[in-house]
Amino acid sequence: MALPSPTAAPPAQPSYMPPFGMRTLIGCLGMLLAVHVAGFNEHITEIGLSDIRGAMHIGHDEGTWFISTYEAFNIAAMAFTPWFYMTFSIYRFSIFMTAVLALLSIPLPFMPDMISLCFLRAAQGLSAGCLPPVLMTVMLKYLPPPIKVFGIGGYAMSATFGPNLGGPLEALWFEHFGWHWLYWEVIPLSAIAIAMMAYGLPKDPVHLERFMKFNWRGFFIGVPSILCVVTVLYQGDRLDWFRSPIISHLTFWGGALFLGFLFHEWHHHTPFFRLQYWKNRNIAMSMLTLVGVLVICGLMMEVPSTYLAEVRGYRPSQTAPIALMVALPQLIMLPLTAALCNMRSVDCRYLLGIGMSCLGLAAFLGTWLTPDWVRDNFYLLQGLQIVGQPMVVIPVLMLATMSLGPADGPFISGMVNMLKGMANAVAAALFEILLRRREQYHSNMLLDRSGNNATALSGMGNPIENAIQNSSPDSAHVSRNALQIFHTYVHEQSVVLALADIYLVIAVLCAAYVVLAIILPKRVYPPGKGPAPKPAPAPTSVPAAPLSAPAH
């Protein structure tokens, strides 16, 4: 399907395209490392938030703003980054933002109050959000066609490898080096990434004249709208959604601004987003699937860690093997999946269906969750995710990018990365909603059942009180302890049932996406391996000459 032509010609591309070689490859790998550093900074501080709150004397409510402020500016930066790196050049923009990310982490542990801490985290989220869109463009622009799919696999690592490695790294830094290194771990890796990018990335020219046609109105409408929407997703459940005036106002004004931003971008001659791409069935399907896949992966990552922490009392260092089991094999599975997708005989849509089926099977097996499970019981589920995640993410990105030309990269990378960030926010909000609502439901049902059957079971005595009656001569003290133990059992069981319900929701989502993946998108081919052109039909008005006719 042909893409609709924009209202104005796309901006001119740099006239010089360097030949691909080892130097360019090192620059691309440096860009990949910088994106992973930004991901580590996001996930390590999020997973280790309880340790950071304890060390910096931050309350629970303040800690939620610590996360939501970072994520809001991170996602807003993803949306508008392509315009800025096209103006300042990929080389200069990438190095500068990576350096800012690292330098801002130095004073963070010493902030005296929550306002200054959130201000620095917002600036750090802004710099971190600028890197993933650059990586996507680098992989599509600088890699030659035979290995472009492997570049997409490298970009997919930011959605599969990085998030699962955050927990183990948090345990390593906190347990062995101290809580300060939850911030400072980005410094050495950023230095390596900057050196690789400075050596290998092509030095594109600067186009400061683009400021003469800067889309100021779209920028000042779009940034606050995204900040409002992301804040609502992260703070809505804690503030009880629309019972809170803050959430109500942010939802109304943020939603209105966002709709106005989309209308403005549709009609503007130099938009940040080229929304006309959504008329392409493959792009629309891949965008929606990407959001769904990242929501599913986010939920499946949260369930084991929440269960092991809430029910079994595990520390991050004890849950690290669960995350490592998914993260480390991605270094092998992602290249293998990319190699399969790079074969002309392999239809990536079927790989997408197989991968989603693996994730759905893992979620279905998770519905048998009980309070007796330990870390080892999750290994089968994690093994299915090892196979499923790369087989889902890489085909989705192929469906979104393989039908585009080089000039379309900046216009699609902003949308893809903004939706990727929004998917993480939706996953966090959905997990909080489902966990709280289903836990409350099961808790009420268990207590109701206990109250209804209390009279019928009164003759059997209180087994909890009988077990602890020798712990104290005071019968009233024993009764209070027995009641507390009973409510602990009810809470534990209600959390387990709520997490099992979340697994069921994930399984249903996976089944729906399997059907959509087969029905909606058209097949795309790896670069340079498309179908052979059909021969032109012979003209019907002139009879074909016989094979034995002499040449004239």
Side-chain angles (χ1 to χ4, degrees):
M1 178 178 177
L3 292 174
S5 60
T7 56
Q13 299 298 308
S15 58
Y16 171 69
M17 180 65 66
F20 180 78
M22 182 56 66
R23 184 165 184 167
T24 306
L25 181 60
I26 291 174
C28 294
L29 293 177
M31 190 71 246
L32 178 62
L33 178 60
V35 171
H36 281 301
V37 170
F40 295 156
N41 179 68
E42 173 186 357
H43 295 291
I44 288 175
T45 51
E46 182 177 342
I47 295 171
L49 181 60
S50 58
D51 298 319
I52 293 174
R53 287 196 292 108
M56 300 187 71
H57 309 289
I58 300 173
H60 176 269
D61 291 349
E62 291 84 355
T64 61
W65 287 104
F66 177 86
I67 292 178
S68 64
T69 302
Y70 180 94
E71 294 294 342
F73 281 87
N74 183 280
I75 296 172
M78 291 180 183
F80 301 96
T81 289
W83 190 93
F84 288 96
Y85 72 65
M86 292 172 64
T87 302
F88 295 106
S89 82
I90 291 176
Y91 173 81
R92 295 169 181 81
F93 187 80
S94 305
I95 293 177
F96 177 76
M97 287 302 171
T98 307
V100 170
L101 172 67
L103 292 175
L104 288 175
S105 65
I106 298 175
L108 273 170
F110 309 110
M111 288 297 100
D113 52 46
M114 194 63 197
I115 295 177
S116 57
L117 180 64
C118 285
F119 179 80
L120 285 186
R121 283 295 288 177
Q124 198 174 39
L126 187 69
S127 59
C130 291
L131 297 175
V134 184
L135 173 64
M136 187 173 190
T137 301
V138 163
M139 295 301 181
L140 293 175
K141 180 178 179 180
Y142 293 143
L143 296 183
I147 63 172
K148 191 162 290 189
V149 175
F150 291 93
I152 294 175
Y155 174 81
M157 290 180 67
S158 63
T160 58
F161 177 76
N164 288 294
L165 200 59
L169 285 177
E170 191 276 339
L172 170 68
W173 293 119
F174 182 78
E175 300 289 345
H176 299 284
F177 295 93
W179 70 273
H180 296 78
W181 282 93
L182 298 180
Y183 295 111
W184 294 344
E185 51 89 21
V186 302
I187 298 175
L189 294 176
S190 295
I192 297 173
I194 289 173
M196 296 174 69
M197 290 188 291
Y199 172 76
L201 284 183
K203 297 177 176 60
D204 292 347
V206 177
H207 297 284
L208 297 180
E209 68 278 2
R210 287 168 52 85
F211 276 103
M212 300 297 295
K213 298 181 179 180
F214 184 64
N215 184 4
W216 295 101
R217 185 177 300 173
F219 182 79
F220 286 113
I221 295 175
V223 170
S225 69
I226 295 174
L227 294 179
C228 290
V229 171
V230 177
T231 303
V232 167
L233 291 173
Y234 275 98
Q235 296 290 338
D237 192 68
R238 183 182 69 86
L239 299 176
D240 205 10
W241 293 101
F242 300 110
R243 292 183 177 89
S244 167
I246 296 177
I247 297 300
S248 299
H249 284 291
L250 288 178
T251 303
F252 177 78
W253 294 110
L257 285 174
F258 192 72
L259 291 176
F261 170 69
L262 296 180
F263 179 81
H264 178 269
E265 292 299 289
W266 182 274
H267 296 284
H268 201 270
H269 59 281
T270 56
F272 293 106
F273 296 156
R274 191 156 289 166
L275 297 177
Q276 290 84 356
Y277 287 144
W278 284 83
K279 293 181 179 180
N280 186 311
R281 191 169 71 175
N282 272 24
I283 294 178
M285 169 60 189
S286 60
M287 295 289 190
L288 296 176
T289 305
L290 180 64
V291 173
V293 166
L294 294 177
V295 169
I296 290 170
C297 292
L299 292 175
M300 296 192 74
M301 186 174 63
E302 287 288 341
V303 172
S305 60
T306 301
Y307 169 83
L308 294 174
E310 294 286 334
V311 178
R312 309 301 299 186
Y314 280 27
R315 288 280 302 152
S317 59
Q318 295 171 307
T319 60
I322 290 288
L324 282 175
M325 185 177 177
V326 177
L328 295 182
Q330 299 300 322
L331 298 175
I332 299 175
M333 288 301 302
L334 283 167
L336 288 179
T337 306
L340 284 175
C341 292
N342 204 32
M343 299 170 61
R344 185 181 181 277
S345 57
V346 176
D347 191 341
C348 67
R349 296 175 299 175
Y350 295 113
L351 287 181
L352 173 60
I354 294 172
M356 196 66 78
S357 300
C358 291
L359 296 181
L361 179 59
F364 180 71
L365 295 176
T367 58
W368 270 269
L369 181 68
T370 69
D372 298 323
W373 279 33
V374 292
R375 185 176 62 197
D376 296 350
N377 295 99
F378 288 96
Y379 285 158
L380 176 59
L381 279 65
Q382 302 298 90
L384 290 170
Q385 292 182 56
I386 292 171
V387 179
Q389 286 187 5
M391 295 181 71
V392 166
V393 177
I394 294 179
V396 166
L397 293 174
M398 281 189 63
L399 290 171
T401 58
M402 288 297 101
S403 57
L404 301 174
D408 299 314
F411 297 100
I412 197 70
S413 63
M415 282 194 292
V416 168
N417 285 278
M418 189 195 72
L419 290 175
K420 177 185 165 198
M422 283 289 187
N424 294 329
V426 170
L430 185 60
F431 182 80
E432 293 294 333
I433 293 171
L434 291 174
L435 181 61
R436 181 169 66 91
R437 299 295 174 88
R438 298 306 296 173
E439 180 186 355
Q440 290 175 350
Y441 171 80
H442 289 298
S443 179
N444 289 335
M445 291 298 102
L446 291 172
L447 290 173
D448 183 67
R449 181 66 63 87
S450 174
N452 290 335
N453 296 330
T455 304
L457 299 176
S458 59
M460 302 177 62
N462 189 332
I464 299 177
E465 190 170 332
N466 294 335
I468 64 173
Q469 63 182 353
N470 295 327
S471 61
S472 174
D474 187 355
S475 59
H477 183 260
V478 171
S479 297
R480 286 195 300 270
N481 287 344
L483 185 62
Q484 185 177 4
I485 293 172
F486 171 73
H487 282 289
T488 301
Y489 284 145
V490 171
H491 172 71
E492 177 185 277
Q493 189 65 50
S494 60
V495 169
V496 170
L497 291 172
L499 294 175
D501 290 345
I502 294 175
Y503 268 132
L504 182 60
V505 171
I506 296 172
V508 173
L509 288 175
C510 291
Y513 273 108
V514 168
V515 176
L516 290 177
I518 296 175
I519 296 176
L520 290 183
K522 294 182 179 180
R523 182 180 180 183
V524 296
Y525 292 86
K529 300 180 181 180
K534 296 181 180 180
T540 55
S541 58
V542 180
L547 294 178
S548 57
H552 295 285

